[in-house]
């Protein structure tokens, strides 16, 4: 078992005393998350999942949303610390935002992934994440029924993470490829 721990996911939020930071812990076996927990100290929300055991919020089972279409989806994303990369990511967002209902930028990948799991966000994508940013949250989203992977296929990685209900995953992935999301 390898432990993948982010003691403060959403560090900028934490430093600026903004909500949205969390503690994220995942247990990996052969590089694959088998258990995860994400705790928000401000709200007290505790998201958990065990592979093939479903996802829970404070012990209650959760499921991802079922938006009617990509055009009606509220989608979360994040931006890199590097100004040049952040500018390129904003240009991608400009190419995407007119084809979805709206976008949210909350500042912590694990939180965003858990919000997809709970149906509070319809989908989430980001590029340039470290494994500790997404390991627990991605498992929780997947166990809540979301499809989770890299935008152009394969497992979530530093290249990209996309979490969405199966009904809109392909359309959102295609839109993000068209917008050049993984090229930034």
């Amino acid at each position: 078992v390898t432990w993948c721990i982010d003691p403060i996911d959403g560090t900028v939020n934490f430093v600026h005393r903004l909500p949205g930071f969390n503690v994220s812990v995942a247990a990996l076996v052969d590089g694959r998350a088998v258990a995860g927990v994400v705790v928000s100290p401000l709200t007290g929300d505790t998201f958990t999942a065990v592979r093939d055991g479903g996802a829970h919020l404070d012990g209650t089972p959760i499921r991802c949303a079922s938006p009617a279409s990509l055009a009606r989806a509220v989608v979360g994303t994040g931006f890199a610390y590097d100004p040049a990369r952040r500018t390129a990511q904003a240009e991608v967002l400009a190419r995407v935002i007119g084809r979805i209902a709206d976008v949210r930028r909350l500042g912590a990948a694990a939180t965003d992934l858990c919000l997809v799991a709970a149906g509070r966000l319809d989908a989430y994508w980001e590029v340039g994440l470290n494994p500790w940013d997404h390991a627990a949250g991605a498992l929780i989203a997947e166990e809540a029924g979301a499809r989770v992977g890299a935008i152009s296929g394969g497992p979530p990685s530093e290249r990209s993470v996309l979490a969405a209900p199966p009904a809109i995953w392909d359309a959102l992935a295609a839109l993000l490829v068209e917008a050049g999301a993984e090229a930034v």
Side-chain angles (χ1 to χ4, degrees):
V1 175
T2 302
W3 293 98
C4 196
I5 301 169
D6 194 346
I8 304 176
D9 179 39
T11 308
V12 172
N13 289 353
F14 177 78
V15 168
H16 289 272
R17 295 185 227 151
L18 295 169
F21 62 90
N22 64 69
V23 177
S24 176
V25 179
L28 310 176
V29 174
D30 297 326
R32 188 170 183 220
V34 296
V37 61
V38 176
V39 177
S40 171
L42 289 182
T43 66
D45 289 343
T46 300
F47 294 89
T48 59
V50 174
R51 179 143 322 268
D52 300 324
H56 298 83
L57 169 56
D58 297 328
T60 301
I62 54 175
R63 295 295 295 169
C64 66
S66 298
S69 67
L70 182 58
R72 298 191 57 141
V74 176
V75 180
T77 192
F79 297 104
Y81 290 116
D82 175 67
R85 188 172 203 190
R86 193 170 52 244
T87 299
Q89 289 171 318
E91 291 167 358
V92 168
L93 179 58
R95 292 189 285 273
V96 169
I97 198 163
R99 305 212 4 227
I100 61 175
D102 209 345
V103 69
R104 294 292 179 266
R105 199 275 191 234
L106 303 174
T111 296
D112 290 335
L113 288 160
C114 288
L115 294 178
V116 170
R120 296 176 186 171
L121 280 176
D122 295 312
Y124 165 77
W125 97 88
E126 191 164 349
V127 299
L129 294 174
N130 294 299
W132 53 85
D133 293 319
H134 64 78
L139 175 64
I140 293 165
E142 184 179 340
E143 286 295 318
R147 182 173 165 191
V148 181
I151 292 167
S152 59
S157 67
E158 185 177 329
R159 187 178 76 226
S160 66
V161 175
L162 172 59
I168 66 166
W169 203 95
D170 288 332
L172 182 54
L175 175 59
L176 292 168
V177 167
E178 176 187 318
E182 286 187 326
V184 297

